[in-house]
Amino acid sequence: MRIGVMTSGGDAQGMNAAVRGVVRRALAARIDVVAIHEGYAGLVAGDLQPCTSTTVSRILHLGGTTLGTARCPEFRELEGRRIAVRNLVDAGVHHLAVIGGDGSLTGAMVLREEWSDHLRVLVDEGQISETEAAAHPALAIVGMVGSIDNDLWGTDRTIGCDSALHRIVHAVDTLTSTARSHQRSFVVEVMGRHCGFLALAAAICTGADHVLIPEAPSDNWQEDVVEAVRQGRQLGKRKAMVILAEGATDREGRDIEATDIVRLLQEELKIDSRVTVLGHVQRGGAPSAYDRVTATLLGVRGAERLMTMDGVDEPVVMTTQGMDVEPRPLLTCLENTQAQAKSIANRDYDAAVAARGAEFGELLSLNERLTRAPSVIEGRRGRRLLLLHIGAPSPGMNPAIRAFVRLSLQRGDTPLLAQDGARGLAERRVSEPTWQDVSGIGSLGATILGARRTHPSTDALAALDEFDIDGLVMVGGFEGLLTAETFAETGRPVALVPASISNNVPGTDLALGTDTALNVIVDAVDRLKQSAVGSRDRVFVVEVMGRRCGYLVTAGGLGSGAEIVYEHDPGITLSRLRQDAEELVRAYDAGRQVAIVLMADAASEAFGANTLSRIFRAESGGRFDTRVCVLGHLQQGDRPSPADRLLAVRLVDRAVEHAASGEGAVVVGVERGLVVTGPVGQRIEDADVPNRRRRNPVHAQWSDVLDYLRH
Ligand code: ADP
């Protein structure tokens, strides 16, 4: 068997990680890999080269695709595809990993259907022999979707979408500060000709006043935009932000241009308005941590799938269901994707939204509720809901607070906020925020409230009666899990939204803050590697947080391309240290210039980062120098990533619902991409309490992957 790997269609950040995953996994199984350059154009031109492990070295952190990509009109013609088949047979390939958009994957399907006809013609024409044809009876295909738009049916995220969201959210956060200074409005046009995911997600992440997307055109978009911006001004907002997906139309299917919106705001509201078209910036730049980790997993599992296939097997596309990676039939995914596009073209917008999946509908509804302030009714309103933190500050807490306040008000309930967790509650430091009080906080790191690990005292519990609290939303970590029932024993419903960069809370695949911390780690390692360019050969020992939960260090290892990863289990033994030191020496003898050893802060009782550094230096025989970098609180301090902002609003929505109308104490989490709740008691049973972590963590299924990627 020999596997061909290619990238095709529009480029997307993370494609390199997928290619690297495919190549290293196949090579680890001693299967040859051929790289096809420039997409189908290279396939037709015969630009196929054997791949070694070094072909995919130092590409994980690069945007775009180092294999090159192109649009290829020849491949749309029968003749072009016949040449492609001949080139594949010449290279001994009939197992293909295609990383591209729905166009590229459709092209692969067409090639597969025609494969035997092409072989017959090529044999008849004497271009290939009968034996060669017999050795390549059919084409096996595994697809991976590279597309910043998140536009393929059947997968939660396409490769590149999260990175594009990083670019957009960073740009809009940046524009917001200048917009506030001048009391301006900005219309930001983002990519998404047929799919509004980027625009919708960016609007939620940045607290934009209005968003226009292809799937949900309004009966009167002009009135909606003016009303949204006017309402913001009345509430005292100094800026207005409108996000426009490039494919947004009115209900009759007529395009909406950014300049139309600017003119409207100037004419109707006399507001100074500007257009920013983000364009290809969204496709560029380094891939986010999520895109690196997920695309690596897709690549590795995709190669494994391909290795088991012969050509008669149904082609699959590797999809993400939350943090899980699994194959689905390619044909079904393509047919449903095309049906989505048709729904929009036929102006069947309800069908278009429904087909985008549960999360899309959820986000649409959340955006509506987070941006439209309800009219104020005087007097006591609805249930009185309290939010407090129990645990360490974590990125994502502020968007959670904003969502809590606004979603509670939307329901007609009264939100209250406790400063400094249970201690502040005991000291009666509780406020009743307005809709506008939480404006603009969603992009800030840590928490405006202050977080403490303090358990509730009897005084804190008494305060619940004094403030007449009906239900609680706790946003916190493992300590929150252990205290939730104490609050619930007062007879009030309690919902815990897990927030912890360590991702150690049971009941959720991801906690708030984890994704942000992971981005800090991956970014820091990029910089460390860069610092070693042009200097002496170096090994960096990088210590990350996480204590005895290995999520950050494992995902950090996948996302940063670390050579060695130490987590608490199995820890660091002398025999492993010796083996790793020997491997490093071999690698530097073979020409390596920089290597990363990533360790969790509680990886070992015996060996800290400095000790490891000294041991490796002593063992290096002068081949390399070592340095230590302890990332420490940098991991807790960043602004929340787009994924954390989205997770915050989704989890808080369910938490508010529980606190207002549920019973008992629950953990609100996300599993396989869907919001789920489970009783705290059961979640504690799922926990390894002495080690403060969950029993079956998501990252346990990734431990083999790290081994394949070392080279
Ligand atoms: P994307 O893969 O990003 O959706 P395109 O739609 O441009 O990008 O497709 C990339 C390439 O895939 C095209 O240039 C063409 O070579 C090939 N392709 C797309 N659709 C088909 C098709 N229906 N039949 C054959 N080849 C196709």
Side-chain angles (χ1 to χ4, degrees), residues 228-247:
V229 175
R230 195 200 316 266
Q231 193 199 48
R233 287 279 144 140
Q234 280 164 356
L235 287 168
K237 272 192 177 181
R238 287 180 59 85
K239 56 97 204 177
M241 199 61 73
V242 177
I243 298 190
L244 171 72
E246 61 179 338

Side-chain angles (χ1 to χ4, degrees), residues 646-662:
L646 291 178
L647 187 62
V649 296
R650 293 180 70 200
L651 298 190
V652 166
D653 189 27
R654 184 69 66 84
V656 167
E657 193 187 307
H658 179 83
S661 57

Side-chain angles (χ1 to χ4, degrees), residues 335-348 352:
E335 281 174 353
N336 285 318
T337 303
Q338 278 142 20
Q340 282 175 344
K342 246 183 233 136
S343 301
I344 294 179
N346 296 337
R347 295 186 215 146
D348 185 354

Side-chain angles (χ1 to χ4, degrees), residues 26 40 57 86 102 202 238 305 379 449 473 485 557 588 710:
Y40 291 124
S57 289
R86 198 202 59 212
D102 64 328
R238 287 180 59 85
R305 178 68 183 211
L449 287 182
V473 171
E485 281 184 331
Y588 279 76
R710 279 184 188 217

Side-chain angles (χ1 to χ4, degrees), residues 21 79 157 161 264 338 349 404 420 450 478 504 513 532 560-561 565:
E79 272 311 300
R157 290 289 181 276
C161 166
L264 186 71
Q338 278 142 20
Y349 299 113
F404 167 77
D420 294 325
F478 207 86
N504 62 342
S560 66
V565 170

Side-chain angles (χ1 to χ4, degrees), residues 7-8 11-12 15-16 19 62-69:
T7 53
S8 169
D11 69 324
M15 281 181 156
N16 286 328
V19 172
L62 300 177
T65 157
T66 54
L67 288 187
T69 183

Side-chain angles (χ1 to χ4, degrees), residues 421-695:
R423 187 198 294 175
L425 176 62
E427 293 165 4
R428 312 306 192 253
R429 285 187 283 126
V430 172
S431 61
E432 191 180 321
T434 66
W435 179 271
Q436 193 51 20
D437 285 345
V438 288
S439 176
I441 68 164
S443 59
L444 304 178
T447 165
I448 56 163
L449 287 182
R452 293 279 183 281
R453 288 217 170 84
T454 330
H455 283 231
S457 57
T458 41
D459 223 12
L461 298 176
L464 296 178
D465 291 333
E466 277 173 44
F467 287 106
D468 203 8
I469 303 297
D470 295 307
L472 286 97
V473 171
M474 296 169 60
V475 181
F478 207 86
E479 216 59 51
L481 185 74
L482 303 179
T483 52
E485 281 184 331
T486 311
F487 283 114
E489 278 160 15
T490 65
R492 296 170 172 90
V494 179
L496 171 69
V497 173
S500 145
I501 66 163
S502 311
N503 203 22
N504 62 342
V505 184
T508 190
D509 288 346
L510 279 174
L512 296 187
T514 307
D515 183 68
T516 307
L518 200 54
N519 275 287
V520 172
I521 294 170
V522 163
D523 190 44
V525 173
D526 281 358
R527 286 165 200 239
L528 287 175
K529 284 186 176 171
Q530 191 63 35
S531 78
V533 172
S535 72
R536 288 172 45 207
D537 295 339
R538 273 217 171 125
V539 170
F540 288 100
V541 179
V542 184
E543 185 192 289
V544 302
M545 287 182 162
R547 305 306 301 165
R548 294 182 176 192
C549 171
Y551 185 90
L552 272 188
V553 78
T554 308
L558 287 176
S560 66
E563 277 66 24
I564 297 170
V565 170
Y566 294 131
E567 59 170 308
H568 180 266
D569 295 298
I572 309 176
T573 58
L574 276 177
S575 62
R576 183 154 176 222
L577 265 184
R578 162 172 302 207
Q579 198 186 330
D580 289 339
E582 284 169 1
E583 260 181 46
L584 282 175
V585 165
R586 271 197 299 276
Y588 279 76
D589 280 343
R592 174 171 289 286
Q593 289 172 331
V594 59
I596 301 293
V597 177
L598 209 61
M599 64 177 295
D601 47 5
S604 164
E605 300 269 316
F607 305 106
N610 287 314
T611 314
L612 286 186
S613 166
R614 281 195 295 272
I615 291 174
F616 286 132
R617 192 182 311 146
E619 294 294 312
S620 78
R623 290 172 182 83
F624 51 80
D625 198 0
T626 58
R627 290 283 187 279
V628 170
C629 179
V630 178
L631 295 182
H633 287 81
L634 282 178
Q635 296 158 90
Q636 276 184 324
D638 211 3
R639 298 158 76 86
S641 68
D644 271 332
R645 298 186 198 189
L646 291 178
L647 187 62
V649 296
R650 293 180 70 200
L651 298 190
V652 166
D653 189 27
R654 184 69 66 84
V656 167
E657 193 187 307
H658 179 83
S661 57
E663 272 176 27
V666 297
V667 177
V668 183
V670 67
E671 277 172 10
R672 290 177 59 80
L674 299 174
V675 178
V676 292
T677 52
V680 164
Q682 191 192 320
R683 295 314 190 206
I684 291 178
E685 278 172 27
D686 296 339
D688 169 0
V689 177
N691 287 313
R692 298 175 71 85
R693 60 188 180 195
R694 59 180 278 193
R695 267 186 217 284

Side-chain angles (χ1 to χ4, degrees), residues 74-194:
E74 292 96 315
F75 192 78
R76 290 182 184 271
E77 309 296 328
L78 195 73
E79 272 311 300
R81 292 195 292 274
R82 186 157 302 148
I83 300 171
V85 172
R86 198 202 59 212
N87 287 336
L88 284 171
V89 172
D90 284 351
V93 173
H94 65 277
H95 287 80
L96 207 53
V98 180
I99 302 152
D102 64 328
S104 303
L105 299 179
T106 305
M109 284 299 282
V110 173
L111 192 66
R112 176 181 183 270
E113 275 152 34
E114 298 172 351
W115 185 263
S116 49
D117 293 343
H118 287 308
L119 287 185
R120 201 167 355 95
V121 175
L122 290 169
V123 170
D124 290 348
E125 289 176 355
Q127 297 202 46
I128 60 170
S129 67
E130 290 279 5
T131 325
E132 282 175 310
H136 303 286
L139 183 66
I141 296 170
V142 168
M144 280 150 256
V145 200
S147 160
I148 63 166
D149 292 340
N150 209 28
D151 53 356
L152 194 97
W153 183 93
T155 188
D156 283 355
R157 290 289 181 276
T158 52
I159 298 170
C161 166
D162 186 66
S163 304
L165 211 45
H166 273 256
R167 299 295 101 77
I168 300 170
V169 168
H170 176 72
V172 177
D173 282 356
T174 310
L175 285 171
T176 300
S177 56
T178 167
R180 272 208 195 101
S181 311
H182 288 272
Q183 301 205 34
R184 269 195 184 124
S185 71
F186 274 90
V187 179
V188 181
E189 186 188 295
V190 304
M191 284 188 166
R193 220 164 274 150
H194 306 291

